[in-house]
C-alpha cells in the first residue's frame, strides 16, 4: 500500500501552513510540526525553546563558543552562554540539536503516514521511501501584503520580516545541507499561492501525490 508522507516547506506569508493543515485533513493523516521539536527536546532534556535554535544557522560567534566549549579542557564558556529564548549550559552544540531533530524526523517518517511541516524535512527525508516533497511559495510583495494585514504592521516592516526570514532559511539549509532551499529541483511539486487559493492548492497536491504514488 502506498505511503502518504508529505513534507511541506513554506515561505513566510505563502499560506503554507494553511495548505498543510487543509491537506492533512483532506488526506486523513496527522499534521506534524511542533511535535518534532517537542519530542527532540524531551530526548535532550532541554526546554522546547532551546530546540528551536536547531532551526537557525548559528552565528560565527556561537560556533566559536561551541568550539571553545568542546576544546578548552577547563573553563567552558557554554555554561555562561544562553541562546536567545533557549536554555543555557546544556553542553549541546547546534549540530547536536540538529541531529536530534533529524532522528525524530526519521522515526516519525518510519512509524506513520503524515504531513510534516518544516524542520528541513524535505531534505532530511529525501531518501525515505514514498516521501512527497512540497514547496509552497509566493512573490515577496504578495507575502509582505499578507503579513502586513495579518500582523497590522506597515508594508515596509512586513517586507523586511519576509526578507529576513528568507535569509534565515537560506543560511540554515546552506549550512546544514548545502542546498538552496528555493531550488525547485529539491521538491516534487512547487505551488505559487499568488496564483491559486488554498483549496485549489490542496487539490493539485492530492492529484500530484496520487500520480507519483501510483508510478512508484
Amino acid at each position: 500500500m502506498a505511503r502518504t508522507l508529505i513534507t511541506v516547506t513554506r515561505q513566510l506569508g505563502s499560506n503554507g501552513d494553511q495548505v498543510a493543515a487543509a491537506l492533512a485533513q483532506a488526506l486523513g493523516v496527522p499534521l506534524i510540526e511542533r511535535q518534532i521539536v517537542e519530542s527532540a527536546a524531551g530526548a535532550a532534556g532541554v526546554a522546547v525553546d532551546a530546540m528551536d535554535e536547531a532551526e537557525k544557522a548559528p552565528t560565527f560567534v556561537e560556533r566559536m563558543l561551541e568550539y571553545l566549549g568542546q576544546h578548552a579542557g577547563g573553563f567552558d564558556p557554554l555554561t555562561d552562554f544562553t541562546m536567545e529564548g533557549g536554555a543555557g549550559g546544556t553542553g549541546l552544540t547546534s549540530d547536536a540539536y540538529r541531529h536530534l531533530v533529524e532522528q525524530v524526523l526519521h522515526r516519525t517518517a518510519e512509524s506513520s503516514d503524515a504531513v510534516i511541516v518544516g524542520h528541513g524535512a524535505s531534505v532530511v527525508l529525501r531518501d525515505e521511501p514514498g516521501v512527497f516533497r512540497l514547496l509552497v511559495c509566493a512573490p515577496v510583495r504578495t507575502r509582505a501584503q499578507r503579513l502586513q494585514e495579518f500582523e497590522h504592521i506597515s508594508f515596509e516592516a512586513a517586507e523586511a520580516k519576509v526578507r529576513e526570514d528568507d535569509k534565515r532559511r537560506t543560511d540554515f539549509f546552506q549550512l546544514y545541507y548545502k542546498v538552496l532551499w528555493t531550488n525547485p529541483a529539491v521538491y516534487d511539486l512547487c505551488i505559487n499561492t499568488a496564483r491559486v487559493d488554498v483549496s485549489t492548492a490542496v487539490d493539485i497536491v492530492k492529484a500530484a501525490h496520487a500520480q507519483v504514488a501510483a508510478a512508484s
Side-chain angles (χ1 to χ4, degrees):
M1 183 176 178
R3 297 286 312 275
T4 302
L5 184 62
I6 300 176
T7 63
V8 180
T9 302
R10 75 281 193 225
Q11 293 180 317
L12 179 64
S14 67
N15 288 342
D17 289 317
Q18 294 92 319
V19 171
L23 183 61
Q25 183 175 17
L27 294 172
V29 299
L31 176 68
I32 296 178
E33 181 182 6
R34 195 62 180 166
Q35 300 94 315
I36 298 295
V37 290
E38 289 172 351
S39 180
V46 300
V48 173
D49 286 348
M51 288 307 305
D52 284 331
E53 294 302 319
E55 300 295 276
K56 304 175 184 177
T59 66
F60 174 76
V61 172
E62 289 169 346
R63 284 266 175 191
M64 285 301 297
L65 286 169
E66 290 174 356
Y67 177 84
L68 291 172
Q70 291 174 328
H71 297 87
F75 172 70
D76 184 352
L78 282 181
T79 60
D80 295 319
F81 176 69
T82 302
M83 293 184 183
E84 182 178 353
T90 64
L92 285 175
T93 67
S94 55
D95 288 338
Y97 282 136
R98 188 62 210 159
H99 183 61
L100 281 171
V101 170
E102 290 174 358
Q103 287 182 317
V104 173
L105 284 169
H106 281 293
R107 287 201 302 268
T108 300
E110 292 165 1
S111 62
S112 67
D113 292 345
V115 172
I116 303 176
V117 182
H119 309 295
S122 292
V123 177
V124 175
L125 302 178
R126 57 189 159 193
D127 296 324
E128 193 74 29
V131 66
F132 184 89
R133 298 173 296 169
L134 170 67
L135 173 66
V136 183
C137 59
V140 169
R141 182 172 183 81
T142 299
R143 293 186 285 133
Q145 288 172 336
R146 289 172 179 167
L147 198 64
Q148 176 188 15
E149 181 178 347
F150 181 74
E151 296 193 357
H152 305 290
I153 57 179
S154 69
F155 177 81
E156 291 74 20
E159 182 179 18
K161 290 187 72 170
V162 165
R163 292 190 183 279
E164 180 182 356
D165 191 77
D166 284 352
K167 183 181 184 306
R168 179 180 67 80
R169 293 175 192 268
T170 297
D171 291 345
F172 168 80
F173 278 90
Q174 180 60 40
L175 174 64
Y176 289 112
Y177 304 113
K178 302 297 185 291
V179 300
L180 178 61
W181 72 288
T182 53
N183 179 1
V186 173
Y187 306 94
D188 298 296
L189 178 66
C190 302
I191 291 186
N192 178 358
T193 58
R195 305 286 292 174
V196 298
D197 60 18
V198 170
S199 177
T200 303
V202 169
D203 290 341
I204 293 171
V205 177
K206 286 173 60 182
H209 174 260
Q211 183 175 4
V212 170
S216 299

